[in-house]
């Protein structure tokens, strides 16, 4: 590009010298000079906006001046360097030295190159510009010595519109015509360059829009409004979105932001869906990665390279959400499994280094998800790496309805969705998604549009047995009322379905002394006691499997006898209390006595509350779920109409 063309480009007078571009030669296999000029124009506009100071070229050429430019994305680096060199030459008449970090260097090469650059900077008083990509490995010791970097890019709709208005034909491109910044970051620099092959502005903008639509289609553009009802996890997510918007407007510094969150919970509860919703609500790209994805690229070196590439992509796309799925697959360096210990150690060390770097990237929020937080290496969860740890529960009533509505996309009336959500409460987000797909398949097979009948069958909530459902309602009402009377935490939600029920609690009190244990045993046996009182006999539903009411109550009774030293039988601790009980008739008798006393107390309490228990069971039969309203503080709220926030489950987690 000639000096005349470049000067016209900077001044926005490219039309005056367009005749100089007509006969520019183009060799097969080489970039088109016209397309190259357009991409350089975008890089120049991005650079000018990032410098944001008309005196910057002069400051960058002062004696001894050192400027650090971080090019986002790295693919734009050559065009950005060209723009910077020519801008400074045109304004000042001379050009500083440009020192580049090699792209995709490993730690050893990066350290060696960093030392070379430091030696070169210290050897001359000439102005110098250090250029690095977002994924370049700049040692912390070197970064501390250099001036604060200037982030150049990524190109946004404003810089793109300005460049197109100069270097493309047709009517001037307005900012509103160009895809949103989040979409441009998803397209990336290669996509922008691909669209610049057209000469007409309208055609370029249209091509960018087409790419943006295709790139964002797999995400489904889900937002938090599509999955409302996730309790604390939703609250944390909405705060993230709000704070990110405030940071983008310059209202809060990045240092005040929550920059990392770990979502944990059972498989299928919707952790990935939640991450997509955060990105959708914030209007920023979602960059995803995970151990399985990274490992699929080959040996350890390949995997670490792909891991770095994911983090670099997030940096280039900032502001963005970086989501690491199934982070517990990395394992624990201190685990008992010594097979592959060295491999696991290198993977975790690499992830720790990248996480620390990501948390210093302004505009990148790190989200991670796992099923078992206890399987994580402690260093991954320490404060400073993970700001907030949140449990993602199974969807509540509102969330269940929202998820069904999102996947159905208007396929069923709102009243049908509400009824099906009420009857399918307790299914995971993944199960709901799968049920909708199954229902569509059934409808296609019948040759008709999807109906409530198809979805009901797919959800497994078709036929209901009123007698069984009443027993479940009575059982859960017993749990809830005993919990209320004994003050073992505040009930947050009560739900029933054909496969069972749940009483969810808000922060149940810890077990500290013997009275706590006795009251907890009463609460666990209150469901069985309610069945005895109102139906005349108990059922199999109170026991039979680990985690059942009887299993947890029995475990508590045995721990009192054999682990906690809370009896007059002595203070000796017995490991494996269940095994010891199986060999000792005396221990079994003492534990059984505790259970019998707990059952008697549960019957006594509920006998006095038969009327309220009947009232609550009848309401559960009618509504299937009662949930505490947000902000409600009364412990007996569930005896009146209400909604809820969600937390732990008595029937599933107990203590």
């Amino acid at each position: 590009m000639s000096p005349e063309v470049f000067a016209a480009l900077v001044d926005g007078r490219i039309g005056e010298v367009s005749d100089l571009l007509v006969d520019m030669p183009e060799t097969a296999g080489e970039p088109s000079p016209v397309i190259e000029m357009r991409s350089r124009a975008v890089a120049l506009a991005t650079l000018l906006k990032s410098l944001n100071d008309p005196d910057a070229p002069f400051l960058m050429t002062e004696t001894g001046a050192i400027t650090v430019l971080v090019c986002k994305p790295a693919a734009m680096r050559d065009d950005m360097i060209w723009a910077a060199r020519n801008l400074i030459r045109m304004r000042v008449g001379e050009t500083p030295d440009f020192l580049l970090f090699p792209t995709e260097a490993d730690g050893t090469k990066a350290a060696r190159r960093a030392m070379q650059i430091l030696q070169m900077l210290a050897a001359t008083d000439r102005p110098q510009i250090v250029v690095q990509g977002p994924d370049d490995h700049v040692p912390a010791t070197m970064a501390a010595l250099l001036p604060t970097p200037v982030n150049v890019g990524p190109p946004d709709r404003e810089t793109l519109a300005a460049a197109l208005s100069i270097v493309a034909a047709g009517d001037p491109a307005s900012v509103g015509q160009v895809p949103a910044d989040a979409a441009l970051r998803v397209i990336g620099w290669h996509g922008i360059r691909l669209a610049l092959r057209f000469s007409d502005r309208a055609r370029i903008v249209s091509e960018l829009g087409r790419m943006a639509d295709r790139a964002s289609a797999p995400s489904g553009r889900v937002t938090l409004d599509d999955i409302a009802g996730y309790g604390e996890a939703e609250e944390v997510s909405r705060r993230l979105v709000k704070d990110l918007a405030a940071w983008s407007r310059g209202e809060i510094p990045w240092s005040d932001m929550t920059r990392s969150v770990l979502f944990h919970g059972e498989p299928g509860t919707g952790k990935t869906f939640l991450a997509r919703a955060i990105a959708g609500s914030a209007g920023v790209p979602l960059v995803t990665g995970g151990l399985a994805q990274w490992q699929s690229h080959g040996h350890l070196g390949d995997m670490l390279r792909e891991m770095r590439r994911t983090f670099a992509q997030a940096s280039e796309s900032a502001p963005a959400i970086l989501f690491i799925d199934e982070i517990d697959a990395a394992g624990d360096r201190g685990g008992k499994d010594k097979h592959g210990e060295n491999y696991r150690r290198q993977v975790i060390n690499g992830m720790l280094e990248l996480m620390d770097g990501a948390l210093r990237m302004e505009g990148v929020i790190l989200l991670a998800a796992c099923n078992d937080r206890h399987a994580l290496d402690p260093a991954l969860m320490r404060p400073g790496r993970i700001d907030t740890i949140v449990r993602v529960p199974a969807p509540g009533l509102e969330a269940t309805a929202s998820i069904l509505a999102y996947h159905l996309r208007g396929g069923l009336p709102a009243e049908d969705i509400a009824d099906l959500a009420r009857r399918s409460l307790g299914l995971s987000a993944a199960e709901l998604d799968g049920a909708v797909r199954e229902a569509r398949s059934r409808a296609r097979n019948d040759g008709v549009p999807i109906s409530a009948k198809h979805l009901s069958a797919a959800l497994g909530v078709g036929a209901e047995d009123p007698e069984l459902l009443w027993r479940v309602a009575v059982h859960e009402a017993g749990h809830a009322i005993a919990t209320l009377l004994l003050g073992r935490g505040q009930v947050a939600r009560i739900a029933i379905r054909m496969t069972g029920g749940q009483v969810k609690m808000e922060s149940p009190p810890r077990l500290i002394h013997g009275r706590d244990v006795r009251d907890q045993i009463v609460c666990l046996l209150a469901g069985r006691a309610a069945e005895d009182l109102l139906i005349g006999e108990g059922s199999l539903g109170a026991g039979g499997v680990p985690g059942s009411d009887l299993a947890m109550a029995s475990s508590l009774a045995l721990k009192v006898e054999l682990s906690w030293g809370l009896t007059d039988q002595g203070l000796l601790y017995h490991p494996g209390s269940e095994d010891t009980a199986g060999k000792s008739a005396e221990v079994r008798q003492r534990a059984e006595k505790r259970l019998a006393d707990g059952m008697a107390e549960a019957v006594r309490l509920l006998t006095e509350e038969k009327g309220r228990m009947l009232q609550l069971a009848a309401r559960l039969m009618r509504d299937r779920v009662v949930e505490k309203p947000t902000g409600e503080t009364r412990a007996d709220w569930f005896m009146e109409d209400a909604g809820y926030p969600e937390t732990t489950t008595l029937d599933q987690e107990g203590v």
Side-chain angles (χ1 to χ4, degrees):
M1 185 182 297
S2 68
E4 295 87 355
V5 171
F6 181 76
L9 182 62
V10 173
D11 298 336
R13 301 179 290 102
I14 200 68
E16 299 177 13
V17 295
S18 58
D19 56 317
L20 297 178
L21 303 175
V22 175
D23 297 324
M24 295 179 86
E26 181 177 348
T27 305
E30 296 182 0
S32 161
V34 176
I35 295 177
E36 190 171 70
M37 182 199 66
R38 292 179 189 140
S39 65
R40 287 176 173 178
V42 176
L44 175 63
T46 303
L47 175 66
L48 289 170
K49 182 175 181 180
S50 301
L51 295 175
N52 196 29
D53 184 351
D55 293 330
F58 300 94
L59 299 174
M60 295 164 71
T61 55
E62 291 180 340
T63 300
I66 298 176
T67 306
V68 180
L69 300 179
V70 179
C71 187
K72 302 180 178 182
M76 190 180 68
R77 190 174 71 170
D78 291 343
D79 288 319
M80 188 275 293
I81 292 174
W82 179 92
R85 179 177 285 116
N86 284 276
L87 175 66
I88 295 170
R89 181 186 294 129
M90 189 188 81
R91 292 283 173 85
V92 183
E94 61 176 294
T95 306
D97 296 331
F98 283 79
L99 306 177
L100 279 62
F101 270 91
T103 58
E104 295 191 12
D106 61 30
T108 303
K109 291 180 180 177
R112 188 181 304 122
R113 178 58 176 164
M115 183 56 65
Q116 291 174 348
I117 289 177
L118 282 175
Q119 292 172 347
M120 295 168 71
L121 291 173
T124 178
D125 61 356
R126 276 183 52 78
Q128 312 221 32
I129 296 178
V130 179
V131 180
Q132 64 186 76
D135 58 337
D136 288 341
H137 296 268
V138 181
T141 52
M142 179 180 180
L145 299 177
L146 296 177
T148 302
V150 176
N151 292 316
V152 180
D156 58 22
R157 64 193 318 191
E158 183 180 12
T159 56
L160 198 54
L164 293 180
S165 295
I166 297 173
V167 298
D171 296 331
S174 69
V175 173
Q177 293 173 313
V178 181
D181 292 347
L184 292 176
R185 289 193 293 274
V186 172
I187 295 170
W189 180 245
H190 295 299
I192 291 173
R193 283 200 57 141
L194 185 62
L196 293 176
R197 69 190 187 276
F198 297 106
S199 61
D200 182 73
R201 294 184 190 115
R203 187 70 178 87
I204 293 173
V205 171
S206 174
E207 181 71 354
L208 289 170
R210 181 193 67 79
M211 285 192 249
D213 289 341
R214 290 289 299 274
S216 61
S219 69
R221 296 177 182 174
V222 61
T223 71
L224 289 170
D225 291 336
D226 295 314
I227 55 171
Y230 262 95
E232 183 187 5
E234 182 188 347
E235 179 185 342
V236 168
S237 301
R238 291 190 181 277
R239 282 206 312 268
L240 276 180
V241 172
K242 185 177 180 180
D243 285 350
L244 187 58
W247 170 79
S248 298
R249 295 191 298 266
E251 297 172 2
I252 59 174
W254 185 250
S255 58
D256 285 354
M257 290 278 297
T258 295
R259 287 164 284 177
S260 54
V261 178
L262 172 66
F263 292 123
H264 69 97
E266 296 177 359
T269 51
K271 298 179 288 293
T272 303
F273 204 59
L274 192 59
R276 288 172 51 195
I278 293 171
S281 293
V284 300
L286 176 67
V287 179
T288 62
L291 270 296
Q293 172 190 333
W294 296 328
Q295 286 173 337
S296 68
H297 288 270
H299 58 68
L300 178 62
D302 296 321
M303 181 199 152
L304 294 175
R305 185 187 65 248
E306 289 304 315
M307 189 189 301
R308 290 195 299 268
R309 186 169 293 168
T310 299
F311 279 78
Q313 183 185 354
S315 176
E316 292 182 0
S317 303
I321 302 296
L322 171 58
F323 178 59
I324 304 176
D325 201 5
E326 305 294 350
I327 193 173
D328 49 343
D332 180 353
R333 291 170 298 179
K336 296 180 180 179
D337 181 11
K338 299 303 179 182
H339 178 69
E341 179 181 8
N342 184 57
Y343 181 94
R344 188 164 58 249
R345 182 174 297 276
Q346 292 187 68
V347 169
I348 294 175
N349 288 344
M351 185 176 294
L352 292 174
E353 177 188 352
L354 289 169
M355 286 177 67
D356 289 342
L359 296 176
R360 292 192 296 268
M361 300 175 192
E362 291 205 2
V364 176
I365 290 179
L366 174 65
L367 302 181
C370 68
N371 298 330
D372 181 10
R373 57 175 291 195
H374 301 294
L376 286 171
D377 190 282
L380 290 169
M381 293 195 297
R382 73 160 174 80
R385 289 201 176 102
I386 297 295
D387 294 330
T388 306
I389 299 176
V390 186
R391 179 177 176 270
V392 180
L397 181 60
E398 185 180 4
T400 299
S402 297
I403 292 170
L404 287 175
Y406 171 79
H407 289 302
L408 286 165
R409 297 186 291 276
L412 287 180
E415 56 270 21
D416 286 347
I417 293 176
D419 177 63
L420 288 166
R422 182 171 57 86
R423 295 161 59 195
S424 60
L425 188 66
L427 294 181
S428 69
E431 289 172 320
L432 295 171
D433 179 20
V436 172
R437 286 185 274 110
E438 169 67 15
R440 292 190 187 282
S441 175
R442 290 170 179 261
R444 285 194 300 271
N445 185 65
D446 293 343
V448 297
I450 190 172
S451 67
K453 177 182 177 182
H454 295 119
L455 186 53
S456 177
L459 289 167
V461 296
E464 290 187 339
D465 180 348
E467 182 179 343
L468 176 58
L469 205 58
W470 172 248
R471 182 178 288 276
V472 175
V474 167
H475 184 104
E476 301 308 328
H479 279 314
I481 291 177
T483 299
L484 171 66
L485 295 175
L486 294 174
R488 290 298 301 163
Q490 191 175 49
V491 173
R493 184 180 80 184
I494 315 167
I496 66 168
R497 53 195 302 243
M498 285 294 294
T499 55
Q502 291 179 334
V503 174
K504 286 187 172 266
M505 310 281 294
E506 280 187 336
S507 303
R510 295 182 179 274
L511 296 176
I512 298 175
H513 45 68
R515 184 67 206 178
D516 294 330
V517 179
R518 290 192 295 272
D519 287 349
Q520 188 67 18
I521 289 174
V522 173
C523 290
L524 288 166
L525 297 177
R528 177 70 170 266
E531 292 183 54
D532 286 342
L533 284 171
L534 297 187
I535 299 176
E537 60 179 349
S539 66
L540 302 178
V545 296
S548 64
D549 296 343
L550 293 183
M552 290 189 289
S554 299
S555 177
L556 289 178
L558 289 171
K559 285 178 179 177
V560 170
E561 296 292 339
L562 299 170
S563 297
W564 289 332
L566 296 176
T567 74
D568 56 4
Q569 304 300 316
L571 299 175
L572 184 64
Y573 167 76
H574 294 266
S577 55
E578 282 79 4
D579 293 339
T580 303
K583 300 174 183 177
S584 170
E586 181 183 355
V587 169
R588 289 200 306 273
Q589 290 172 0
R590 294 202 305 265
E592 178 59 39
K593 176 67 165 56
R594 292 186 180 279
L595 294 174
D597 290 346
M599 186 67 170
E601 178 63 10
V603 170
R604 186 191 69 78
L605 287 174
L606 296 181
T607 298
E608 298 176 1
E609 298 290 341
K610 272 190 175 182
R612 301 180 80 190
M613 193 160 50
L614 284 168
Q615 175 188 347
L616 180 56
R619 182 181 171 196
L620 286 169
M621 281 293 287
R622 182 192 70 203
D623 298 336
R624 300 297 195 277
V625 61
V626 291
E627 301 174 321
K628 194 183 84 169
T630 301
E632 177 61 72
T633 59
R634 293 177 303 116
D636 63 346
W637 65 268
F638 52 85
M639 299 314 299
E640 301 177 4
D641 289 338
Y644 88 105
E646 173 169 13
T647 41
T648 57
T649 308
L650 177 66
D651 280 350
Q652 293 182 350
E653 296 179 9
V655 180

